Amino acid sequence: MEELRLNNTLVEDQQGEIYAPAEQSKKIFKQHFYIESYGCQMNFADSEVVASILQGAGFGPTINQEEADLILINTCSIREKAEQTVRKRLTTFKSLKRRKKSLLIGVLGCMAERLKLKFLEEEKLVDLVVGPDAYRSLPSLIEEAAGGQKAVNVLLSREETYADIAPVRLDSNGISAFVSIMRGCNNMCSFCVVPFTRGRERSRDPFSILQECRELYENGYREITLLGQNVDSYYFATSQETSTSFTFAGLLEQVAKIAPDLLVRFSTSHPKDITDEVLFTMASYENICKYIHLPVQSGSSRILQLMNRTYTREWYMAKVDRIRALLPDCGISADIIAGFCTEEEIDHQDTLSIMENCKYDFSYMFFYSERPGTLAARRYTDDVPEGIKKRRLEEIVSLQNRLSLESNKRDIGKTFKVLIEGDSKKDSAAWKARNSQNKVVVFPKENHAYKKGDFANVTIMDCTQGTLKGKIIVH
Ligand code: SAH
Ligand code: SF4
Ligand code: F3S
């Protein structure tokens, strides 16, 4: 979601990103894989698990498609456009295969799960189709595919969390890492394909999570984002006999305790599940970042009910008030869908007014895209004309632009402790950093001896809608 967040005003689906080989894997491999990932951060984290499994099977990563013996595309099904992008990429890869007969092409992730055999049988675009819970079978599937068989495993699991697999960090800045704490989703938001592509919710063993986080810290990482579709419902019974267990608040606290200079973030929180206990834990640890992504989807209680979100407009606003009361400096962002089934102008106005009320620092905004098999596709008609969906989305985006700018302007004059992520893209004489509220802060390096991964105190002098501009304060 990184690039999307910078824009603040996402309309398009995320573009695929090409992974660079991990620094630590300079080992010489006889065979190479090239992987592209689409969709949410969890898919990106999965690609790192896949990289680890493939290295175990003798495949090293490459960023050069021409050099690859295996091309994998980790796909997303969340909106139709995401799927179209993948199809285009597959046609490009197929032309590579014409030149190199031994090249294997595989589809991983949510589209693999959704379309299963379709890729192999009807379209003959790929050699391998592997769903999100079947990555351990990749080495044997690659062998089958190399032997000329069509290799498929799209079985979903109730247990798989890849807890014991140490992800190979791909395309990492060496400072920020994502750690998967759970998989799947048990919510049945009527618009959403995720419960079908990712299966039942299950939480990963907390000891393996803590171990991974500790190792990241020891390797120089300074920011960890705990990932799940609904992190607040994390639950792991560690001992049946003593009935000890971990809730999300407990896990968050343990990760925060690893080191005071390790920042902890998490995503995503379903508004219905985020508890006071989590908010209190956030308040107690300075290194737990004061930022909550709290998707609202719509501001209309009628639409929220059709979406099966299980909260009303009023309930959501009360939750935001509670967050602001316990964590006055907390950044809040949202996901918003324009033009869901039966949405009328009055519902749309409710969405605009809830945005004003909650003063989101930024949002990810989409127009509704019907997904086959979802509750909404079965029960309701996708009846808002495309032109109206797009016009409403534009209104939502321009309101968010204003709210983001206002939010950034409120920060002028404030001083933040920020984590330096690297050079500013536009200016190598400036650092790009992030504050606790997850806002990007750029500031001139001047003559100070800071480096990537350091913390700096920066006073904000100016801003745009997407960035805070500051100056280092030396105490
Ligand atoms: N688990 C997260 C969301 C994952 S999907 C949560 O519940 O918050 C990310 C976002 O994509 C959703 O929050 C929603 O805003 C959007 N989305 C999901 N399905 C969609 C659809 N069919 N059409 C348009 N946007 C959709
Ligand atoms: Fe989809 Fe809802 Fe689950 Fe999020 S909580 S992944 S929107 S079903
Ligand atoms: Fe997409 Fe699957 Fe994530 S549908 S948003 S990649 S869980």
Side-chain angles (χ1 to χ4, degrees):
M1 298 285 254
E2 187 75 352
E3 290 303 313
L4 309 188
R5 207 193 52 70
L6 294 178
N7 289 337
N8 275 0
T9 52
L10 174 78
V11 184
E12 302 285 322
D13 285 299
Q14 182 169 20
Q15 293 299 304
E17 279 185 16
I18 297 166
Y19 275 147
E23 268 304 300
Q24 69 263 37
S25 67
K26 289 265 160 66
K27 259 191 338 190
I28 306 299
F29 290 95
K30 274 210 198 106
Q31 290 186 295
H32 290 90
F33 70 92
Y34 167 93
I35 189 163
E36 262 181 31
S37 304
Y38 293 81
C40 63
Q41 223 33 269
M42 266 153 281
N43 244 19
F44 283 70
D46 277 4
S47 291
E48 302 188 329
V49 167
V50 166
S52 179
I53 293 170
L54 290 178
Q55 284 200 0
F59 284 81
T62 174
I63 50 165
N64 182 357
Q65 296 169 30
E66 310 278 335
E67 190 191 54
D69 305 286
L70 171 65
I71 291 184
L72 297 172
I73 177 159
N74 199 353
T75 61
C76 172
S77 285
I78 201 81
R79 285 166 289 273
E80 198 180 346
K81 188 162 172 296
E83 292 200 348
Q84 283 164 358
T85 314
V86 164
R87 284 176 190 282
K88 276 197 211 121
R89 288 304 282 154
L90 283 174
T91 335
T92 317
F93 294 146
K94 212 181 169 188
S95 66
L96 282 176
K97 198 176 160 90
R98 261 181 233 120
R99 277 181 274 145
K100 185 177 178 180
K101 288 273 174 308
S102 64
L103 175 68
L104 296 178
I105 299 174
V107 170
L108 312 179
C110 292
M111 260 175 103
E113 197 59 54
R114 199 178 82 72
L115 298 169
K116 299 187 168 91
L117 292 170
K118 195 158 183 276
F119 282 115
L120 294 174
E121 286 171 355
E122 290 170 31
E123 308 182 17
K124 305 214 182 327
L125 282 172
V126 301
D127 308 288
L128 284 141
V129 177
V130 190
D133 286 345
Y135 297 145
R136 284 182 204 267
S137 64
L138 266 166
S140 58
L141 292 171
I142 292 168
E143 257 177 50
E144 276 177 34
Q149 283 165 271
K150 295 290 180 192
V152 190
N153 187 348
V154 288
L155 286 177
L156 285 172
S157 154
R158 278 171 181 265
E159 288 96 33
E160 182 62 271
T161 58
Y162 302 111
D164 56 317
I165 295 181
V168 170
R169 304 289 159 192
L170 298 160
D171 193 30
S172 163
N173 63 1
I175 303 299
S176 312
F178 294 90
V179 173
S180 206
I181 63 163
M182 58 205 292
R183 300 181 70 81
C185 183
N186 279 359
N187 294 315
M188 276 286 171
C189 303
S190 62
F191 51 80
C192 185
V193 79
V194 173
F196 304 95
T197 62
R198 293 259 164 180
R200 305 290 292 173
E201 179 186 289
R202 67 221 94 124
S203 295
R204 177 179 165 191
D205 174 350
F207 301 109
S208 76
I209 298 172
L210 290 166
Q211 168 83 359
E212 188 177 329
C213 294
R214 261 185 238 113
E215 282 170 10
L216 284 165
Y217 180 72
E218 281 156 16
N219 289 324
Y221 285 83
R222 288 296 172 266
E223 183 184 67
I224 282 172
T225 305
L226 304 175
L227 290 179
Q229 291 295 356
N230 184 14
V231 288
D232 297 279
S233 67
Y234 178 90
Y235 180 81
F236 196 96
T238 41
S239 158
Q240 302 289 358
E241 289 128 44
T242 56
S243 62
T244 38
S245 60
F246 265 80
T247 60
F248 180 59
L251 179 71
L252 196 56
E253 176 158 39
Q254 291 306 314
V255 179
K257 277 181 168 168
I258 291 175
D261 60 340
L262 176 66
L263 299 185
V264 190
R265 301 185 182 276
F266 55 87
S267 191
T268 298
S269 299
H270 192 300
K272 77 174 163 55
D273 291 316
I274 188 161
T275 58
D276 272 5
E277 203 194 349
V278 168
L279 302 179
F280 287 132
T281 309
M282 288 175 76
S284 310
Y285 292 85
E286 200 208 322
N287 59 330
I288 304 182
C289 292
K290 304 300 176 281
Y291 166 64
I292 299 175
H293 182 55
L294 200 69
V296 64
Q297 314 298 1
S298 167
S300 153
S301 293
R302 185 181 71 83
I303 296 293
L304 286 168
Q305 191 173 10
L306 292 181
M307 287 177 162
N308 202 19
R309 287 292 285 185
T310 73
Y311 53 83
T312 61
R313 168 189 176 85
E314 289 70 28
W315 194 93
Y316 179 94
M317 291 199 296
K319 188 56 99 181
V320 169
D321 289 345
R322 183 75 181 150
I323 295 170
R324 301 242 187 257
L326 295 178
L327 302 164
D329 61 348
C330 191
I332 301 181
S333 61
D335 289 349
I336 299 169
I337 299 177
F340 186 65
C341 311
T342 80
E343 188 186 79
E344 306 241 359
E345 215 46 44
I346 190 174
D347 302 304
H348 171 58
Q349 291 303 323
D350 280 348
T351 296
L352 296 174
S353 69
I354 207 168
M355 290 172 71
E356 290 267 13
N357 182 286
C358 297
K359 297 194 174 58
Y360 296 122
D361 299 295
F362 41 85
S363 295
Y364 303 107
M365 298 154 281
F366 317 96
F367 61 79
Y368 174 58
S369 161
E370 186 178 83
R371 308 313 293 132
T374 54
L375 288 179
R378 280 182 275 143
R379 277 189 205 157
Y380 314 125
T381 316
D382 181 11
D383 57 358
V384 178
E386 191 165 309
I388 295 183
K389 279 184 188 172
K390 290 193 170 160
R391 195 259 300 150
R392 288 181 188 160
L393 179 60
E394 274 168 28
E395 289 177 14
I396 289 171
V397 168
S398 61
L399 172 56
Q400 184 57 55
N401 287 346
R402 171 164 71 71
L403 294 174
S404 297
L405 184 62
E406 284 171 8
S407 160
N408 283 355
K409 280 188 174 162
R410 283 194 294 273
D411 286 340
I412 294 176
K414 291 185 192 165
T415 299
F416 296 107
K417 185 174 163 192
V418 300
L419 174 64
I420 299 176
E421 293 178 355
D423 284 355
S424 150
K425 264 189 203 146
K426 287 188 194 146
D427 177 7
S428 61
W431 290 120
K432 177 195 169 222
R434 206 174 283 272
N435 71 3
S436 179
Q437 291 71 20
N438 206 30
K439 288 185 181 176
V440 172
V441 181
V442 293
F443 54 95
K445 292 180 180 173
E446 300 177 31
N447 294 323
H448 305 292
Y450 285 107
K451 56 183 189 315
K452 206 167 82 164
D454 283 347
F455 290 89
N457 287 311
V458 174
T459 298
I460 306 307
M461 318 299 285
D462 195 6
C463 70
T464 63
Q465 173 198 304
T467 314
L468 299 176
K469 297 176 179 176
K471 194 175 164 24
I472 298 181
I473 300 298
V474 186
H475 292 292

